[in-house]
């Protein structure tokens, strides 16, 4: 049996067509069940929180999974240790991880070498690495959602968050001032499964690779 961890929402929606192209059809997608069968008796899907996908895959609760690079790199920044096996960039759920501030806030001054900035984010590991590399002292404020509110209420000077169209920032009078990294979702593999279930995994990975649209 191969167990694939997915999160509901954009990753699930964007992964289904790729699975279909690989001959896998997920059943009962609209049920409340957390384990979904597929047309293949040897493949099932488990539904977990986006940020729990690396944990499931790392500890063998799933053989493989799909997660945003933001989630994967933040997980690695928090846990340390070896990076996860990440054989395929699925090029879905694309966005970028950026710094945003209130309109009119002097960001260049706030990130001058040796300066100090208050940053609210869900991505404390990635934000810490980013500002450390710039030689900027950062006070990190961990939030779990609605990051955009932090600069507006004076909780923080800046946020580090995902941006896609930019309309959420715009609606809250924030401006993007720096990009940390471009994001897409990747397939991740449990290292033990990669060895022990190689026979079953290889053809699946190959068809998935072929289903990913070539870079334009
Ligand atoms: O929602 P939940 O707490 O369960 O988990 P989650 O928020 O991590 O899951 P989900 O499904 O929202 O996001 C899963 C993955 O989708 C993320 O880890 C990213 O890799 C990817 N992704 C792609 C995005 C976006 N685009 C995106 N725009 N994730 C979130 N957003 C949010 C962003 O945080 C901001 O609030 O959308 C807003 C900005 O969108 P624009 O279009 O207004 O710029
Ligand atoms: Mg969300």
């Amino acid at each position: 049996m191969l167990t694939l961890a997915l999160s509901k929402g954009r990753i699930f929606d964007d992964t289904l067509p790729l699975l279909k192209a690989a001959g896998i059809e997920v059943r009962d997608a609209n049920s409340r069940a957390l384990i979904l069968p597929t047309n293949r008796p040897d493949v099932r899907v488990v539904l977990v929180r986006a940020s729990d996908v690396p944990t499931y895959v790392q500890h063998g609760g799933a053989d493989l999974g799909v997660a945003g690079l933001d989630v994967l790199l933040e997980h690695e920044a928090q846990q340390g240790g070896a990076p996860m096996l990440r054989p395929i960039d699925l090029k879905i759920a694309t966005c970028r991880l950026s710094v945003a501030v209130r309109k009119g806030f002097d960001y260049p001054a706030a990130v001058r070498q040796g300066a100090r900035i208050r940053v609210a984010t869900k991505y404390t590991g990635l934000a810490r690495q980013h500002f450390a590399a710039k030689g900027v002292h950062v006070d990190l404020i961990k939030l779990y959602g609605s990051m955009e509110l932090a600069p507006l209420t004076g909780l923080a000077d800046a946020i580090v968050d995902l941006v896609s169209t930019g309309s959420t920032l715009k609606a809250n009078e924030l401006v993007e001032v720096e990009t940390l990294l471009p994001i897409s979702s990747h397939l991740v593999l449990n290292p033990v499964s990669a060895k022990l279930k190689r026979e079953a995994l290889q053809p699946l990975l190959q068809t998935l690779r072929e289903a990913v649209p070539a870079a334009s």
Side-chain angles (χ1 to χ4, degrees), residues 8 10-11 49-50 68 70-71 93-95 122 148 161-168 183:
K8 276 262 168 147
R10 62 192 109 213
I11 288 184
R49 280 291 289 268
D70 51 318
V71 166
T94 56
C95 57
K122 175 161 110 175
E148 297 83 9
D161 195 11
L162 300 175
V163 182
S164 171
T165 61
S167 51
T168 304
I183 304 285

Side-chain angles (χ1 to χ4, degrees), residues 1 4 19-20 23 39 45 55 67 77 86 96 101 103 106 117 125 132 139-140 163 166 169 173 187-188 191 199 205:
M1 174 67 78
L4 167 66
L19 288 175
K20 195 156 185 196
N39 61 323
V45 167
T55 308
R86 204 203 299 156
R96 54 196 184 271
V101 298
K103 244 185 231 164
D106 190 354
I117 186 169
D139 293 319
L140 289 166
V163 182
L169 293 181
E173 300 190 348
L187 191 87
V188 277
E199 303 273 285
L205 295 193

Side-chain angles (χ1 to χ4, degrees), residues 34-174:
L34 297 175
I35 301 181
L36 305 179
T38 71
N39 61 323
R40 282 193 26 190
D42 61 330
V43 180
R44 64 178 184 172
V45 167
V46 292
L47 296 175
V48 304
R49 280 291 289 268
S51 46
D52 289 335
V53 168
T55 308
Y56 267 80
V57 172
Q58 187 173 25
H59 298 288
D63 301 298
L64 65 174
V66 177
L69 192 60
D70 51 318
V71 166
L72 293 173
L73 296 182
E74 178 64 23
H75 180 82
E76 291 176 6
Q78 297 291 345
Q79 310 271 312
M84 298 191 68
L85 297 178
R86 204 203 299 156
I88 309 176
D89 180 353
L90 297 172
K91 305 204 181 126
I92 56 170
T94 56
C95 57
R96 54 196 184 271
L97 186 66
S98 293
V99 181
V101 298
R102 269 177 92 147
K103 244 185 231 164
F105 178 81
D106 190 354
Y107 185 66
V111 293
R112 234 162 250 147
Q113 285 269 334
R116 188 156 208 109
I117 186 169
R118 290 172 308 150
V119 176
T121 185
K122 175 161 110 175
Y123 303 96
T124 49
L126 294 177
R128 186 183 306 285
Q129 289 172 357
H130 176 71
F131 289 103
K134 292 164 76 80
V136 175
H137 299 287
V138 62
D139 293 319
L140 289 166
I141 301 163
K142 168 87 183 182
L143 290 179
Y144 294 88
S146 302
M147 260 74 80
E148 297 83 9
L149 203 52
L152 304 178
T153 53
L155 181 69
D157 303 313
I159 59 172
V160 169
D161 195 11
L162 300 175
V163 182
S164 171
T165 61
S167 51
T168 304
L169 293 181
K170 200 166 175 218
N172 292 292
E173 300 190 348
L174 299 176

Side-chain angles (χ1 to χ4, degrees), residues 6-30:
L6 295 178
S7 56
K8 276 262 168 147
R10 62 192 109 213
I11 288 184
F12 186 79
D13 297 344
D14 291 359
T15 303
L16 283 197
L18 295 177
L19 288 175
K20 195 156 185 196
I24 297 173
E25 289 179 37
V26 180
R27 307 261 193 241
D28 308 338
N30 296 318

